[in-house]
């Protein structure tokens, strides 16, 4: 592709500054939204972290149905640490992530004896057991009603700066920072030698084993890292909403994560982000505006089926596909033009 | 002692409808290689057939059950044609599509009947006593129907020519189609039978459970536990595992509580997965 001429150099400058533009848009975004839309934006940012951490797990080729429960482990742990032991909230969130990672490390012993479909079902069973324990044991976990009045993120009060995190706008920026840092770490991990090993295990696990890769350890590692970030997402959620309960982390919610990942596509880093952003916008803004509240699961289901049938590689494949078509069309019309001349 | 007997009778009833559901799920998985996540919703649709035809339109109970069986069977054929056939070489895709389909069925049920429990009056008030334990005719009816249907299915699969073709497809689809067995035809029949079994289970138990649009969730969890314990792909294993699970679950529910029973059931499944991933009765080795 030729990039000569002023148009080409502008395009290159834009490309170089793409992060600046992206963050400028993200920073301006909450000021263009209504209050309730700001609240949705906070949850969207948290869900971006959830689905991106899920993708790290799928890199090794395993699809879990317990990821939302792991997020819940982070949420419950962080909430309980803050409530019962008075640990300051930012630290408790971090510890919540560690708790989620620890539970994942524990679960990996039974779970990674399985593969594929069995892992899917096994992770579902393990997650349900954790969820039912929250439901059954009222003493620390609050039973079916869950935990309420979770300590909010502490306000920042210095001489010239005061930030109240009860405001969705401020919490949006807080989550944006936490999620951006997390995504950067996830991205670096994927590009590191470890990440390449994950890919190798996905495509050729026997071959990887034969050259000395301990697939069990790498699968566990992917699971633990993914769970840590899911736990962080859970902590962000718990201290924003202020309440958690077992239903919030049920398999229905997991279905949504699965849908975002599948509709977006999991081959590229941005695929799941695309999925969660596009579907949330459709779900919360378009469908809500149309007043189709009860029909929302139906439309979600239809989108899911249609995208599996007609867009099996996800939204992420749409851009490259359209580009090739456009180039074909252009070269075709150029050739046609020459013939006419 | 009375409580023990009563619990055993209750467990027999639970085992019979669970076996119908699990055998249907295994049929679908065996022939098509797809895990049908919408199986619990097929049960729900069957139950709502009875809610509509029997409780609202006052047709005879048996007719409503038969209609439920046939209707859900055709829903299954619809699923096969629109989703599982195009996604035949993409098992994960089939699973995801079935999740989409279950959301659609749930929403349609909410549209048609509302979110609240549908109330179905019992079709008969009679009951009998076995060693001091009470068995209502409504439950006895479920047990008898399950035994008859499963026996008929067994005869169909083992004795008829088409049944043999079906089992051939389940063992090796490619080799079967080389022998001139139509994959599409077999998949359609397997899907009809599998879905109809879930539907008839829902229809039969509708007066006993008072269905909601979201009842499928607990059903699919139960069905998964049973097919894992029994060995995925084994029909006999599914029946035996249904009996084991129903007894464990019913006894733990009676002597502890329902949530503990669910935890025990899931732990049982996890234990089987870890120690014997092919299930207690699945002889077939799967990669």
């Amino acid at each position: 592709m030729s990039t000569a001429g002023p148009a080409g150099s502008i395009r290159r400058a834009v490309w170089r500054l793409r992060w600046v533009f992206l963050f400028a848009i993200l920073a301006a975004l909450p000021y263009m939204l209504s209050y309730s839309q700001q609240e949705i934006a906070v949850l969207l940012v948290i869900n971006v972290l959830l689905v991106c951490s899920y993708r790290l797990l799928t890199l090794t080729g395993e699809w879990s149905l317990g990821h939302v429960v792991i997020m819940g482990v982070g949420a419950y742990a962080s909430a309980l640490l803050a409530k019962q032991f008075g640990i300051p909230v930012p630290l408790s969130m971090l510890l919540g992530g560690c708790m989620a990672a620890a539970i994942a490390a524990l679960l990996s012993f039974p779970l990674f004896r399985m593969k594929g479909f069995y892992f899917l079902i096994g992770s579902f069973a393990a997650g349900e057991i954790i969820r039912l324990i929250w439901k059954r044991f009222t003493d620390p976990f609050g039973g079916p009603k869950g935990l309420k009045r979770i300590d909010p993120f502490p306000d920042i009060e210095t001489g010239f700066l005061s930030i109240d995190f009860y405001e969705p706008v401020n919490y949006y920026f807080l989550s944006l920072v936490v999620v951006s840092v997390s995504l950067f770490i996830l991205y670096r991990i994927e590009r590191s030698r470890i990440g390449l090993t994950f890919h190798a295990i996905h495509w050729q696990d026997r071959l990887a084993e034969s050259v000395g890769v301990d697939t069990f350890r790498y699968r566990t590692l992917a699971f633990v890292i993914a769970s840590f970030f899911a736990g962080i997402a859970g902590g962000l959620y718990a201290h924003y909403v202020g309440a958690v309960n077992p239903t919030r982390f049920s398999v229905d919610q997991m279905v949504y994560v699965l849908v975002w990942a599948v509709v977006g596509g999991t081959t590229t880093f941005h695929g799941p982000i695309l999925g969660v952003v596009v579907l949330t916008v459709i779900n919360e803004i378009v469908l809500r505006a149309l007043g189709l509240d009860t029909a929302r699961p139906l439309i979600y289901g239809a989108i899911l089926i249609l995208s599996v049938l007609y867009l099996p590689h996800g939204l992420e494949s749409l851009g490259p596909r359209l580009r090739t078509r456009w180039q074909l069309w252009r070269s075709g019309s150029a050739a046609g033009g020459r013939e006419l001349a | 002692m009375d409580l023990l007997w009563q619990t055993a009778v209750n467990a027999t009833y639970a085992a019979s409808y669970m076996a119908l559901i699990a055998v249907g799920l295994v049929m679908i998985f065996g022939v098509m290689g797809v895990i049908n996540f919408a199986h619990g919703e097929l049960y729900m649709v069957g139950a709502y057939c009875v809610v509509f035809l029997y409780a609202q339109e006052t047709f005879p109970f048996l007719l409503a059950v038969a209609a439920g069986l046939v209707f859900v069977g055709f829903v299954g054929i619809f699923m096969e044609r629109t989703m599982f056939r195009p996604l035949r070489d993409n098992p994960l895709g089939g699973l995801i599509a079935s999740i989409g389909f279950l959301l659609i069925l749930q929403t349609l049920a909410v549209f048609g009947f509302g979110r609240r429990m549908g109330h179905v009056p019992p079709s008969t008030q009679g009951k009998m006593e076995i060693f001091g334990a009470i068995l209502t005719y409504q439950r006895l009816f479920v047990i008898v129907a399950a035994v008859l249907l499963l026996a008929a299915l067994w005869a169909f699969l083992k004795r008829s020519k088409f049944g043999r073709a079906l089992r051939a497809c389940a063992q090796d689809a490619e080799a079967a189609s080389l022998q001139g067995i139509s994959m599409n035809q077999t998949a359609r029949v397997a899907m009809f039978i599998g879905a109809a079994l879930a539907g008839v289970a829902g229809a039969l138990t509708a007066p006993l459970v008072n269905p909601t649009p979201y009842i499928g969730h607990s059903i699919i969890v139960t069905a998964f536990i049973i097919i894992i314990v029994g060995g995925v792909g084994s029909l006999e294993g599914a029946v035996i595992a249904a009996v084991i699970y129903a007894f464990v679950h019913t006894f733990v529910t009676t002597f502890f509580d329902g949530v503990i029973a669910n935890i025990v059931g899931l732990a049982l499944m996890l234990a089987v997965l870890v120690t014997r991933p092919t299930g207690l009765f699945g002889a077939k080795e799967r990669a």
Side-chain angles (χ1 to χ4, degrees), chain A residues 63 110 113-114 117-118 120-122 124-125 128-129 132 136 251 255 258 262 294-295 297-298 301 304-305 308-309, chain B residues 35 82-83 87 93 96-97 99-101 103-104 107 111 115 217 221 257 260 262-263 266 269-270 273-274 277:
Chain A
W63 291 72
R113 296 176 55 116
M114 315 160 201
F117 162 68
Y118 293 98
L120 190 88
I121 298 297
F124 170 70
E128 274 296 287
I129 290 176
L132 289 174
R136 177 66 175 68
V251 77
V255 166
L258 205 60
V262 168
T294 23
L298 187 143
L304 189 55
I305 293 175
V308 171
L309 284 175
Chain B
I35 289 298
T82 54
M83 302 185 321
L87 294 168
I96 305 257
I99 291 177
F101 197 71
L103 291 174
I104 293 177
T107 320
F111 276 154
R115 274 173 212 280
H217 177 72
V221 175
D257 66 57
I260 296 274
N262 287 341
I263 294 179
L266 289 161
M269 163 160 104
L270 214 53
L273 274 173
V274 169

Side-chain angles (χ1 to χ4, degrees), chain A:
Chain A
M1 208 201 312
S2 83
T3 48
S9 62
I10 289 172
R11 200 184 300 157
R12 250 178 306 163
V14 169
W15 186 241
R16 227 170 270 156
L17 290 174
R18 64 193 186 280
W19 293 111
V20 180
F21 283 113
L22 182 65
F23 276 101
I25 292 170
L26 285 175
L29 184 71
Y31 299 106
M32 298 185 281
L33 300 174
S34 70
Y35 189 83
S36 64
Q37 285 171 336
Q38 286 171 352
E39 292 192 311
I40 292 164
V42 175
L43 296 178
L44 174 60
V45 172
I46 296 171
N47 285 337
V48 165
L49 179 57
L50 182 65
V51 76
C52 282
S53 64
Y54 186 62
R55 176 172 171 273
L56 187 80
L57 177 59
T58 65
L59 280 187
T60 59
E62 301 301 350
W63 291 72
S64 151
L65 280 182
H67 205 62
V68 168
V69 175
I70 295 287
M71 173 191 180
V73 170
Y76 267 91
S78 180
L80 283 174
L81 286 172
K83 252 177 105 99
Q84 309 233 332
F85 301 101
I87 293 174
V89 169
L91 184 64
S92 77
M93 279 186 188
L94 207 62
L95 290 174
C98 295
M99 187 69 191
I103 295 281
L106 213 65
L107 287 180
S108 66
F109 288 103
L111 288 185
F112 283 112
R113 296 176 55 116
M114 315 160 201
K115 265 169 36 176
F117 162 68
Y118 293 98
F119 178 80
L120 190 88
I121 298 297
S123 63
F124 170 70
E128 274 296 287
I129 290 176
I130 295 177
R131 213 172 65 79
L132 289 174
I133 289 173
W134 292 336
K135 206 170 172 178
R136 177 66 175 68
F137 295 98
T138 318
D139 184 15
F141 302 119
K145 285 191 194 134
L147 301 171
K148 283 179 186 144
R149 287 200 296 280
I150 300 168
D151 309 47
F153 202 85
D155 299 345
I156 295 177
E157 289 284 359
T158 56
F160 56 96
L161 187 74
S162 107
I163 304 173
D164 170 13
F165 284 106
Y166 189 73
E167 281 295 313
V169 182
N170 295 332
Y171 207 90
Y172 168 84
F173 285 116
L174 172 76
S175 328
L176 200 62
V177 170
V178 173
V179 171
S180 304
V181 171
S182 306
L183 291 191
F184 179 74
I185 298 171
L186 281 170
Y187 185 77
R188 295 304 302 179
I189 290 173
E190 193 191 332
R191 286 307 168 95
S192 71
R193 210 181 57 82
I194 297 172
L196 294 177
T197 316
F198 291 161
H199 280 286
I201 291 171
H202 181 187
W203 297 112
Q204 290 285 341
D205 59 339
R206 295 277 161 82
L207 184 62
E209 256 173 7
S210 74
V211 295
V213 173
D214 185 344
T215 53
F216 175 80
R217 269 177 49 193
Y218 276 94
R219 284 201 166 106
T220 305
L221 187 64
F223 189 38
V224 168
I225 297 172
S227 301
F228 173 78
F229 286 107
I232 295 284
L236 280 174
Y237 175 85
H239 296 287
Y240 174 62
V241 178
V244 290
N245 61 57
T247 321
R248 172 60 188 75
F249 304 106
S250 71
V251 77
D252 304 359
Q253 300 302 315
M254 186 59 223
V255 166
Y256 283 101
V257 177
L258 205 60
V259 172
W260 295 328
V262 168
V263 171
T266 51
T267 341
T268 61
F269 194 82
H270 59 262
I273 304 180
L274 214 57
V276 64
V277 171
V278 168
L279 285 177
T280 306
V281 168
I282 292 178
N283 192 18
E284 296 291 346
I285 300 184
V286 179
L287 294 184
R288 193 161 287 205
L290 290 174
L292 295 170
D293 242 17
T294 23
R296 278 198 286 170
L298 187 143
I299 296 168
Y300 237 77
I303 291 175
L304 189 55
I305 293 175
L306 291 176
S307 71
V308 171
L309 284 175
Y310 299 109
L311 204 63
H313 302 292
L315 285 172
E316 64 187 9
S317 67
L318 209 58
R321 252 165 67 178
L322 288 178
R323 198 177 307 147
T324 18
R325 188 159 294 180
W326 163 248
Q327 272 163 11
L328 275 176
W329 182 80
R330 230 172 40 165
S331 60
S333 67
R338 247 197 316 266
E339 264 169 35
L340 278 178

Side-chain angles (χ1 to χ4, degrees), chain B residues 211-273:
Chain B
T212 74
Y214 305 105
I215 198 172
H217 177 72
S218 61
I219 295 291
I220 192 73
V221 175
T222 307
F224 275 153
I225 295 174
I226 292 172
I227 68 167
I228 293 286
V229 171
V232 184
S234 157
L235 293 175
E236 291 88 346
V239 175
I240 298 169
V243 175
I244 295 175
Y245 176 76
F247 272 81
V248 169
H249 192 271
T250 314
F251 272 89
V252 177
T253 306
T254 311
F255 293 104
F256 296 92
D257 66 57
V259 179
I260 296 274
N262 287 341
I263 294 179
V264 168
L266 289 161
L268 179 72
M269 163 160 104
L270 214 53
V272 169
L273 274 173

